[in-house]
Amino acid sequence: MIRNIFFIIFLCLFAGGCSSEYQYIVADRFPPIFPDYIDVTVPSTIAPLNFMITAPCSSCQVSIKGANTAYVVKGKNKIRIPLRKWKKALETENILEVTVSIKENRGWIRYRSFHIYISEDPIDDILCYRRIMPGYAYYNFMGIYQREISTFKEKTIVENTLFGNSCLNCHAFAGNDPQKMQLHIRGTGGGTLIIDEEDVKRIDTRVDGLWGSFRYPYWHPDGRYIAYSINNTSQTFHNEPSRILDVFDTRSDIIIYDVEQNKVLSCKTLMDSTCLETFPAFSADGKILYFCSAPAPLTELEKTFYSLKAVSFDPQNGQTGDSIINIYTPKNGSTAFPRPSHDGRYITFTLADYGTFPIWHKEADIWILNTDSGQAGPAASINSENTESYHTWSSNSKWLAFASRRTDGLYTRIYIAHMNEEGIFSKPFLLPQKNPGFYSESLQSYNIPEFVSGTIKLSKQAILNSQIITTRNER
Amino acid sequence: MNRFLSTHSRTIFTCLFGMAAILFFGYFCQYHLMYIEGMQLFLYTGEYFKETLIHPGGVADLFARFLTQFYHLPLVGGVIIALLLILFQAGIWSNVKNITATRKQSDWWLLTFIPPAAYWYLLCDFNYTLTGLAALTIVVWVSSFYSKLHKTSYRAGYVLIVIPLLWIAVGGAAAAAVLLMAFAEVLMKPYRKWLPFSGIVLGILFFLFIFFTLPIQNEPLQLFFGGLYYRYLKIPLFPYISMWTLTALVTAVAAVLPEFKKQWIHLCMGAIMCAALFFVICLRYDRTSEREYMFLFASKQMKWQQIIKESRKQLPNSLVAVNMLNLALAMTDSSGDDLFNYPQPSQGALILSYNQDMLYAQEILFNLGLINESRRYAFECLSQIPDRQQSAYFIMRLAESDMISGRDTLARKYLNTLNQTLFYKKWAQRRLFLLNTENGVDNHPVYGSLRKMQPKRNFNYTVLQFGQMLRNILEDNPRNHIAYNYLMMYYMLTKNIPAFCENLQIVHPLPRHYQEVLALTAGHSESDTPEFHKLPMDDQVFLRFKQFEKKLQAVEPGTLDKEYGNTFWYYFYMIK
């Protein structure tokens, strides 16, 4: 009899221990997670949106449900969604409902469910960016990398360990084409690498007759030309606590480089000494060159405002027109990084209170201009209280990747947002990482994100074997 | 007794060697060790382990960095270095024993101390990291195992696999393994088979294949070394090649030299080696840097009296040491009385220019309340760490700067990073507690005060206009007594007496040097006027000045040093 009683008690305890149903406290708020993937819109090829719980907890559980999907992922305070299950869900679903529960001292808390919307619009699979410490004048280790956004794989394109710690910057692609790329390698033995299909050449950008070497690039859509700014850049450092530093140009102009003929084409319109012309960007059809311009000479940095301007461009002969058109002059602020969408409908740019280097401006936001109406306004849904700066369009002009400092105010991270037919952006999501705690631990910034439509096949050997070629000046 | 010494001579010698190493590194170089430790950041995270391991030499790097974190406690650091050196020696001796086991017993145990002694010499330049020593120690023991393998095919297979694997694990020191194993094969009498030699050749070819196909973007020499053998990118090849060759040569020589029975030869050899080691170590020891680092850490810990006390014992003999001393004087409000108790150079006494020094300057700027500038200097230093490590020392400063400036999220990031370390965890947790407490930072005695001292407006800062900068700070914060002390020091050191008098704040009693300045200004006026009597100056000070003036004209200026060397007047007239 006693044995039977013990057996029954044992069975009850066993059953209770095995029960998969916990007693939950329901919290009517969204879960405290990082990155914030609540109600974001993602492409169907995106890597799993792994995240971590930012509140103290001893374990957590996430249920992911769709019309044809249901599974649970568990973890201590980090959720790593299995790749295969995730991919399958994204292939078949339009919306996923995610419910997060965490175990605290008082027991299990179940938070309000949120959604992940899966867009049908495809996205370029590669994001190319530079990783560097967000420093001042000095720099150390840096590299340019390509990341598959459908997986977590990141491959090195070039690191500055190959060039004695030189600066690498300004990687750019013609129409998101991985086979047409340029990037600057500063310092001894450097030059500008121009990759055109199989051909890799290194050009010396100190050109006779030009007062500076090539700086900010923008490829012509057909890949024949690259518009470069040439800049004389300085820094100033702030003492008052709310700001850190500013970067400004004391002189800047724009030139056109002919890739095929390896020569600089004259461009008098854009070498006006009464203006600071910078950040060139070709329109989608290649017939207009947009750029930012401010009056020169620079007198007071905080009163230096760049407007968005344009000039016609003839792709046949690489010549710019004589008249400059004003596209947009902000009422309050200064423009930078004009980026026309590939379908020609919009131009996004960064607006800051003043100056030409918005990454150090907390108030910097991304604005969008409708090329038909000429109206511009902030892309409200993708801006934050902190810096939004450099941005790039996907090949189909449906996705925008941009650099933002919203996570901590200093370390730049890449966010991606979807744009619908009406030109409205969805809530952006942070580029996911395999380890959800990665961004908290990383002491490098991600800058100059560029969508690329395929894998960049540039080998270390090709870079090292490239010979320096002198560039001619047509003038 | 003789028997005891004879039986245990090797143990005694090894212990003496170890103790000497502990004393040297753990005591005489303690601040060097602390500096090296501060210039790295060993994190207990999977990401850090992965990043460290995924390149050639990664194992040696991880092992060395793990050990280097214990330099935080210098004596422990000394013990670690001593143990590694002894382990290195023991590994060499193990190789010798294995070789001579097939010949006859070697008497040349003492010779095996030559490579560790040579490495000790290398480590006196702290740019040589522990990675090289750790790598070489692993290499000698791996090679020792080779020479224990009696079967030819085993040795061939072992060397074929070990050479490339060893390179992947420890980097360039694997070259020493090739030499050691080749020598062992040659010297071990029943060996000398062609198969192991073929294994060596194939192993090298295998290594070359991996070397040329590895998709790591380093210059060839860096890739060959793999690990962080040296703190700078340009690795000095000769010392390492010499070290690896010496290790193999000493092993071979100790194995083949004929035995002898004369005890006195050993004693002489031991004595000569000890004397030679002592002599070269003394030559190599950088006493100046050691003091500078001591001042740096004392400043970081706000141990101002320690700096002043050390300066009294031995006058600062470098500009940065003077900078730190003057910072200590300013922080303790004793610059007005004691500045000229210490020799002051005519330039660079307060702060060096951006290009000359950032490491010590950021401490000065921090304590002056120029938090953004201090942060910038710390970040620039971090960016310039030659071996590209993160630095606990500078990350602490970044965290503090961001806490004070109200950049809480950023401060938390740095503090959470430090929370992943062994020795900075508690420091970080205390600061996280401050951030999580309402008004925690404001109420902190140091951070709260510095927060109030921050400039309220922007002004251009440059050390070339240090005086203007100090005036700007004081305009924003008249209560910033550190800035005031610095301003007064600045005017005295630049001999700008009108500006000094214009900015002087009258307190009673007025510090000695301030009275001396007033005495100099009043020196040419009549002493019995109302204006003269209004000066907050002791009559004795004025009298002393008058005596100084007389002696200045009458005697050899060089003799004034003894009596007046600690006065402003001496500096004013004698230091150009």
Side-chain angles (χ1 to χ4, degrees):
Chain A
M1 175 70 172
I2 292 173
R3 269 167 68 178
N4 287 342
I5 292 168
F6 273 123
F7 180 65
I8 292 164
I9 292 170
F10 172 75
L11 274 178
C12 291
L13 286 172
F14 184 73
C18 287
S19 169
S20 59
E21 282 297 317
Y22 300 107
Q23 294 292 324
Y24 289 100
I25 301 167
V26 175
D28 188 27
R29 56 184 187 277
F30 287 126
I33 61 170
F34 176 83
D36 176 6
Y37 289 138
I38 295 168
D39 295 344
V40 295
T41 303
V42 300
S44 61
T45 51
I46 191 71
L49 300 184
N50 295 341
F51 59 86
M52 55 193 238
I53 310 296
T54 55
C57 64
S58 56
S59 66
C60 59
Q61 185 174 287
V62 171
S63 101
I64 299 176
K65 282 185 190 162
N68 308 301
T69 303
Y71 58 93
V72 170
V73 184
K74 294 181 185 181
K76 192 180 166 200
N77 70 332
K78 289 181 181 174
I79 293 294
R80 291 184 171 91
I81 303 168
L83 182 66
R84 223 181 279 174
K85 282 185 177 170
W86 174 259
K87 289 291 181 192
K88 201 172 166 193
L90 257 54
E91 277 164 22
T92 55
E93 307 289 356
N94 293 322
I95 304 175
L96 290 174
E97 185 188 79
V98 181
T99 310
V100 175
S101 309
I102 69 172
K103 189 176 181 194
E104 276 185 354
N105 293 336
R106 348 172 234 166
W108 283 93
I109 301 175
R110 178 183 278 160
Y111 290 93
R112 193 195 305 167
S113 300
F114 62 88
H115 296 95
I116 295 173
Y117 304 98
I118 296 121
S119 168
E120 288 175 350
D121 291 324
I123 191 171
D124 298 333
D125 194 41
I126 302 287
L127 257 177
C128 180
Y129 47 74
R130 182 174 68 165
R131 276 200 277 111
I132 182 174
M133 275 172 59
Y136 296 76
Y138 288 97
Y139 53 84
N140 203 330
F141 174 74
M142 70 178 79
I144 295 181
Y145 304 88
Q146 53 179 326
R147 157 76 192 269
E148 290 175 7
I149 63 169
S150 57
T151 67
F152 298 115
K153 283 189 203 149
E154 182 191 82
K155 287 187 205 160
T156 307
I157 298 173
V158 61
E159 285 173 340
N160 70 343
T161 41
L162 207 54
F163 296 99
N165 254 12
S166 298
C167 181
L168 310 169
N169 54 28
C170 297
H171 49 280
F173 303 85
N176 298 22
D177 182 356
Q179 298 197 317
K180 285 188 184 293
M181 175 185 179
Q182 82 96 54
L183 96 99
H184 297 314
I185 302 168
R186 305 292 183 198
T188 319
T192 293
L193 277 182
I194 310 260
I195 297 99
D196 191 351
E197 313 276 337
E198 303 286 326
D199 179 40
V200 179
K201 63 185 180 192
R202 209 189 305 187
I203 61 170
D204 185 350
T205 63
R206 290 165 301 180
V207 179
D208 276 341
L210 282 187
W211 58 264
S213 50
F214 301 171
R215 190 66 70 87
Y216 308 125
Y218 201 96
W219 282 84
H220 192 268
D222 68 14
R224 167 87 191 258
Y225 305 99
I226 305 175
Y228 284 106
S229 64
I230 48 176
N231 309 66
N232 197 356
T233 308
S234 295
Q235 285 180 309
T236 183
F237 306 105
H238 298 290
N239 286 315
E240 49 110 351
S242 64
R243 293 186 283 175
I244 294 181
L245 74 94
D246 256 306
V247 177
F248 59 96
D249 290 334
T250 52
R251 189 178 174 187
S252 60
D253 289 312
I254 291 174
I255 57 101
I256 304 293
Y257 171 71
D258 186 328
V259 177
E260 278 176 24
Q261 299 196 9
N262 185 35
K263 64 178 182 182
V264 170
L265 304 174
S266 65
C267 198
K268 283 183 200 159
T269 328
L270 301 174
M271 297 196 83
D272 185 352
S273 59
T274 65
C275 292
L276 298 166
E277 299 100 336
T278 188
F279 298 132
F282 285 105
S283 60
D285 61 9
K287 291 179 182 167
I288 301 172
L289 180 66
Y290 296 103
F291 60 96
C292 298
S293 177
L298 185 143
T299 48
E300 205 179 315
L301 175 58
E302 285 163 22
K303 290 184 180 159
T304 307
F305 307 110
Y306 285 76
S307 304
L308 183 57
K309 298 200 187 278
V311 68
S312 63
F313 182 78
D314 185 350
Q316 299 302 316
N317 55 24
Q319 298 297 317
T320 54
D322 292 329
S323 346
I324 293 176
I325 310 156
N326 191 58
I327 301 293
Y328 184 73
T329 301
K331 281 186 197 148
N332 298 298
S334 184
T335 61
F337 305 131
R339 288 290 177 267
S341 61
H342 296 292
D343 59 9
R345 292 175 67 198
Y346 302 102
I347 303 171
T348 43
F349 57 90
T350 305
L351 191 82
D353 280 354
Y354 61 87
T356 186
F357 216 78
I359 196 64
W360 289 105
H361 287 239
K362 200 172 163 184
E363 80 286 354
D365 281 335
I366 292 175
W367 280 45
I368 183 163
L369 180 142
N370 186 312
T371 50
D372 284 336
S373 64
Q375 298 295 311
S381 46
I382 63 174
N383 291 318
S384 71
E385 297 285 318
N386 234 307
T387 312
E388 274 70 43
S389 183
Y390 195 90
H391 44 276
T392 176
W393 289 97
S394 65
S395 306
N396 59 4
S397 306
K398 292 294 182 192
W399 301 90
L400 190 79
F402 59 94
S404 175
R405 286 186 165 180
R406 64 186 65 187
T407 52
D408 53 36
L410 181 67
Y411 290 85
T412 316
R413 306 294 182 221
I414 299 174
Y415 283 76
I416 302 172
H418 178 257
M419 191 179 77
N420 65 15
E421 278 304 315
E422 286 77 44
I424 309 291
F425 286 105
S426 63
K427 180 178 173 182
F429 63 93
L430 181 57
L431 181 68
Q433 298 287 346
K434 194 172 187 179
N435 169 15
F438 174 82
Y439 289 115
S440 313
E441 294 163 14
S442 169
L443 293 177
Q444 284 195 308
S445 275
Y446 286 66
N447 65 23
I448 318 290
E450 292 283 359
F451 273 122
V452 188
S453 56
T455 306
I456 301 152
K457 290 182 179 122
L458 177 63
S459 69
K460 173 173 102 174
Q461 224 35 60
I463 297 172
L464 289 173
N465 290 345
S466 59
Q467 298 296 319
I468 293 203
I469 305 167
T470 311
T471 306
R472 294 180 294 124
N473 190 344
E474 185 196 56
R475 287 193 293 161
Chain B
M1 181 67 174
N2 276 344
R3 205 185 212 174
F4 175 81
L5 284 172
S6 175
T7 317
H8 298 284
S9 59
R10 290 183 182 180
T11 310
I12 294 168
F13 188 86
T14 304
C15 287
L16 286 173
F17 180 85
M19 276 160 49
I22 294 171
L23 187 66
F24 178 77
F25 288 105
Y27 179 73
F28 288 105
C29 296
Q30 56 180 293
Y31 292 103
H32 272 93
L33 293 193
M34 286 168 67
Y35 176 76
I36 294 297
E37 188 273 328
M39 294 300 122
Q40 74 156 33
L41 186 70
F42 189 88
L43 297 174
Y44 286 85
T45 62
E47 205 66 42
Y48 179 81
F49 276 56
K50 191 181 97 182
E51 285 293 317
T52 311
L53 283 170
I54 55 163
H55 62 82
V59 171
D61 258 347
L62 188 67
F63 182 48
R65 289 189 209 179
F66 173 79
L67 295 175
T68 303
Q69 74 181 310
F70 293 97
Y71 286 9
H72 191 83
L73 306 165
L75 213 52
V76 174
V79 169
I80 285 170
I81 296 173
L83 283 176
L84 259 186
L85 288 171
I86 291 170
L87 208 57
F88 178 35
Q89 179 274 329
I92 298 171
W93 180 238
S94 176
N95 276 274
V96 172
K97 273 196 306 187
N98 292 342
I99 295 170
T100 57
T102 63
R103 300 161 69 92
K104 51 185 184 296
Q105 198 62 23
S106 169
D107 283 329
W108 297 93
W109 174 81
L110 266 177
L111 280 185
T112 60
F113 275 86
I114 294 176
Y119 221 108
W120 180 334
Y121 172 80
L122 267 189
L123 289 177
C124 288
D125 175 355
F126 283 85
N127 290 319
Y128 290 90
T129 67
L130 212 55
T131 301
L133 178 57
L136 204 44
T137 306
I138 293 170
V139 157
V140 295
W141 282 101
V142 166
S143 305
S144 170
F145 188 77
Y146 169 85
S147 44
K148 281 193 164 90
L149 296 168
H150 297 296
K151 261 192 137 171
T152 309
S153 54
Y154 287 2
R155 293 201 308 281
Y158 182 81
V159 75
L160 172 67
I161 295 168
V162 147
I163 289 175
L165 274 183
L166 206 50
W167 177 70
I168 289 169
V170 304
V178 173
L179 290 174
L180 282 165
M181 289 189 282
F183 280 176
E185 195 61 39
V186 165
L187 295 173
M188 292 175 84
K189 280 200 172 148
Y191 292 3
R192 294 181 190 161
K193 303 287 186 204
W194 66 268
L195 195 58
F197 284 114
S198 309
I200 290 174
V201 170
L202 283 173
I204 293 172
L205 288 173
F206 194 7
F207 148 73
L208 287 171
F209 173 74
I210 299 173
F211 181 83
F212 285 109
T213 54
L214 213 55
I216 289 180
Q217 301 215 353
N218 273 347
E219 288 171 343
L221 193 60
Q222 281 166 26
L223 184 58
F224 170 71
F225 273 88
L228 287 173
Y229 282 56
Y230 194 70
R231 291 187 71 229
Y232 288 85
L233 278 187
K234 209 172 172 188
I235 302 174
L237 193 54
F238 179 74
Y240 281 110
I241 301 269
S242 308
M243 200 63 238
W244 301 334
T245 314
L246 180 70
T247 304
L249 275 176
V250 161
T251 307
V253 165
V256 304
L257 278 179
E259 64 172 313
F260 64 90
K261 297 206 192 309
K262 300 240 162 74
Q263 189 81 344
W264 66 267
I265 296 179
H266 284 291
L267 285 170
C268 282
M269 209 162 70
I272 291 168
M273 278 173 61
C274 289
L277 181 64
F278 180 77
F279 178 68
V280 297
I281 298 302
C282 283
L283 276 181
R284 191 103 151 141
Y285 177 58
D286 187 352
R287 199 171 285 115
T288 306
S289 292
E290 181 68 9
R291 281 196 90 219
E292 287 170 3
Y293 290 143
M294 174 177 55
F295 283 1
L296 181 71
F297 283 98
S299 160
K300 184 98 174 125
Q301 294 159 12
M302 303 191 120
K303 290 181 178 172
W304 310 116
Q305 292 301 337
Q306 181 185 352
I307 297 175
I308 295 169
K309 196 172 153 191
E310 281 300 322
S311 301
R312 278 193 203 123
K313 273 192 221 165
Q314 189 189 333
L315 296 174
N317 59 352
S318 70
L319 279 177
V320 291
V322 172
N323 285 178
M324 291 291 100
L325 166 64
N326 289 339
L327 173 62
L329 293 175
M331 294 300 292
T332 51
D333 290 324
S334 52
S335 51
D337 289 312
D338 295 333
L339 181 68
F340 296 106
N341 285 351
Y342 312 92
Q344 299 289 340
S346 56
Q347 286 193 351
L350 296 181
I351 193 167
L352 295 177
S353 70
Y354 178 77
N355 293 327
Q356 289 174 294
D357 159 61
M358 279 190 265
L359 176 61
Y360 296 85
Q362 53 98 16
E363 290 291 333
I364 297 167
L365 296 169
F366 185 77
N367 286 291
L368 274 171
L370 284 176
I371 304 301
N372 265 11
E373 274 302 286
S374 174
R375 186 191 198 283
R376 173 165 79 101
Y377 275 46
F379 210 110
E380 299 285 43
C381 288
L382 188 61
S383 301
Q384 289 185 80
I385 291 179
D387 57 12
R388 299 172 184 162
Q389 298 267 328
Q390 296 292 345
S391 157
Y393 183 93
F394 295 120
I395 294 207
M396 286 164 75
R397 179 46 38 92
L398 295 180
E400 288 174 314
S401 305
D402 289 327
M403 279 172 65
I404 294 165
S405 300
R407 292 186 281 263
D408 286 4
T409 315
L410 202 47
R412 278 179 212 280
K413 181 183 175 69
Y414 294 128
L415 293 171
N416 285 329
T417 302
L418 292 170
N419 208 15
Q420 308 291 331
T421 63
L422 184 59
F423 289 106
Y424 300 96
K425 198 176 184 126
K426 279 201 179 127
W427 186 93
Q429 284 172 352
R430 283 197 292 268
R431 271 109 193 120
L432 281 166
F433 178 76
L434 280 182
L435 284 176
N436 294 334
T437 308
E438 201 178 329
N439 298 322
V441 175
D442 287 323
N443 294 336
H444 190 272
V446 174
Y447 301 148
S449 161
L450 285 171
R451 183 175 264 187
K452 286 178 197 138
M453 288 203 307
Q454 285 185 106
K456 294 177 179 51
R457 61 200 163 96
N458 249 346
F459 50 81
N460 273 330
Y461 162 77
T462 164
V463 100
L464 299 171
Q465 292 145 357
F466 197 47
Q468 182 58 48
M469 187 209 78
L470 291 168
R471 278 195 297 277
N472 286 335
I473 295 173
L474 280 167
E475 272 170 34
D476 275 3
N477 287 290
R479 285 186 177 183
N480 186 339
H481 68 107
I482 313 298
Y484 173 73
N485 291 339
Y486 260 93
L487 188 63
M488 293 294 108
M489 283 198 283
Y490 175 79
Y491 287 140
M492 286 193 287
L493 290 167
T494 55
K495 302 175 187 176
N496 189 344
I497 296 180
F500 176 91
C501 294
E502 194 185 318
N503 287 276
L504 179 66
Q505 293 171 9
I506 305 297
V507 293
H508 294 285
L510 203 61
R512 173 169 74 91
H513 294 316
Y514 299 177
Q515 294 190 48
E516 287 165 5
V517 176
L518 292 180
L520 194 143
T521 60
H524 304 293
S525 24
E526 291 298 318
S527 58
D528 201 18
T529 58
E531 288 75 26
F532 179 84
H533 287 297
K534 276 180 193 166
L535 290 171
M537 177 183 60
D538 200 291
D539 290 341
Q540 293 300 316
V541 172
F542 186 70
L543 277 170
R544 197 171 171 223
F545 172 66
K546 284 300 191 189
Q547 286 161 5
F548 168 81
E549 262 196 326
K550 275 188 199 151
K551 287 186 180 172
L552 184 65
Q553 277 145 25
V555 307
E556 281 294 319
T559 60
L560 289 171
D561 177 34
K562 227 177 177 177
E563 204 180 337
Y564 298 100
N566 65 346
T567 65
F568 169 71
W569 313 314
Y570 186 86
Y571 177 83
F572 187 86
Y573 285 105
M574 307 305 291
I575 305 296
K576 304 294 173 204

